[in-house]
Amino acid sequence: MTVKAPDPRLDRLALGLLALATAFHVGYAGLLALSPQEAYYWTWSRDLSLSYFDHPPLAAWTIRAFTAAFGDSERAIRLAAAFHSTVFAVFLWLSARRLFGSRAALVALAAGLSVPLFALGQVIITPDGPLLSGWAMALYFTVRALDEEEPRWLVLAGAAAGWAMLGKYTGALLLPQILAVLLLDARGRRKLATPWPWLGAVLALALFSPVVVWNARHGWASFGFQTTERAHASHFRPVLVGRFLGLQAGLVTPVMLVLLVEAVVQAFRRRADDAFRLCFVFAAPLMLIAAVVSP
């Protein structure tokens, strides 16, 4: 994997687009009443806990940070969404720039800003916000660890994975994904012989420990709800596959959905290239699990 030389003009354009999108979304976020789901998470934030029944606590903790600073308005509550989506976009752009150069990073960021899902993510606060901001940071720090032959970056990758796990249980996929990236790369295998990736994993689990403590105190209620109870209550119906695909097409647009699937296919075909293989390992497992489970 070769680091591409940045293009300052394209980089300024990319960051300018993100700043405009964020300002626009924050501007109109205060004009809309909270959805029931957002009001639910806001209620969490007013009674801080180590975790909650439905999800881990980071969305609530972030809401509390912004409402403590700016008051209990719709816009202040939704600054939590703008914060996480902006962190996600910045680190995704940084990763794409390092892997493929400034032009590809600009195209990737512009494509992301253009889809309805990103607009929703900048306005509506849900546990997906912290999940995705942690995912993007973990991707970037893993890329840096490989590019710079500096295993200490893997400690930050572990911290980012812990951040994502504090947002949503799906973040637990990041640790095996990072391990797979390291195992499939000669530079990564050398780093596994150092303490840094293992310290990163320990840090991730330490950050997630409040959720474990909360569950231990409450009869493992949240773990059970998100695993065995959901499995027992779920019944596959073919009609749900169509609904699922239709929803995805609506959230990212049909054209972008096709391009995303094609990108994963091409990353697999070009997996001999370090950059494409890394992208495939970070993207494909979560996409596959979501496609199988969501319908």
Side-chain angles (χ1 to χ4, degrees):
M1 179 189 316
T2 302
V3 179
K4 312 295 182 182
D7 183 324
R9 180 180 62 85
L10 295 179
D11 293 346
R12 287 193 296 270
L13 178 58
L15 294 177
L17 286 174
L18 177 58
L20 285 173
T22 303
F24 175 67
H25 293 136
V26 169
Y28 78 70
L31 304 178
L32 305 172
L34 294 181
S35 67
Q37 187 180 27
E38 289 177 289
Y40 182 46
Y41 300 139
W42 174 50
T43 301
W44 286 4
S45 75
R46 300 173 70 189
D47 184 17
L48 289 183
S49 179
L50 294 176
S51 191
Y52 301 91
F53 177 71
D54 301 70
H55 293 289
L58 191 50
W61 292 356
T62 314
I63 293 171
R64 178 62 171 267
F66 282 103
T67 55
F70 301 107
D72 288 323
S73 67
E74 285 87 350
R75 180 174 287 112
I77 292 167
R78 287 171 170 153
L79 284 174
F83 168 76
H84 284 295
S85 64
T86 302
V87 170
F88 164 74
V90 167
F91 278 92
L92 186 65
W93 169 74
L94 287 170
S95 300
R97 185 179 68 156
R98 183 168 282 268
L99 289 168
F100 302 110
S102 293
R103 185 175 299 278
L106 172 61
V107 171
L109 181 63
L113 296 178
S114 70
V115 301
L117 181 61
F118 185 81
L120 287 171
Q122 284 221 301
V123 176
I124 306 298
I125 177 61
T126 71
D128 295 284
L131 167 68
L132 292 174
S133 60
W135 182 92
M137 289 189 288
L139 170 66
Y140 175 70
F141 292 130
T142 302
V143 169
R144 285 205 69 166
L146 293 174
D147 273 348
E148 298 177 3
E149 291 280 2
E150 180 47 75
R152 289 180 177 86
W153 285 111
L154 293 171
V155 177
L156 290 179
W163 172 295
M165 292 161 66
L166 277 176
K168 200 169 184 178
Y169 288 118
T170 323
L173 287 172
L174 275 168
L175 290 179
Q177 283 177 297
I178 293 171
L179 178 60
V181 167
L182 298 178
L183 286 172
L184 293 170
D185 190 300
R187 298 164 302 170
R189 290 193 291 274
R190 290 195 294 271
K191 291 168 181 55
L192 288 173
T194 74
W196 302 109
W198 311 109
L199 287 174
V202 170
L203 180 56
L205 296 175
L207 289 172
F208 186 64
S209 63
V211 181
V212 178
V213 171
W214 185 93
N215 272 273
R217 291 176 178 174
H218 295 83
W220 309 103
S222 185
F223 289 165
F225 172 69
Q226 293 289 352
T227 55
T228 55
E229 289 185 26
R230 284 190 180 273
H232 289 318
S234 299
H235 302 284
F236 178 78
R237 288 183 292 158
V239 67
L240 296 180
V241 177
R243 291 181 185 176
F244 169 71
L245 294 175
L247 178 61
Q248 303 314 301
L251 288 173
V252 300
T253 75
V255 173
M256 188 61 65
L257 181 61
V258 172
L259 290 175
L260 288 170
V261 174
E262 174 64 11
V264 174
V265 171
Q266 289 301 323
F268 177 74
R269 288 178 175 173
R270 301 175 68 174
R271 61 191 181 278
D273 183 295
D274 294 335
F276 282 97
R277 183 175 60 250
L278 184 146
C279 289
F280 178 81
V281 172
F282 262 88
L286 184 55
M287 289 183 69
L288 180 61
I289 290 172
V292 171
V293 173
S294 293

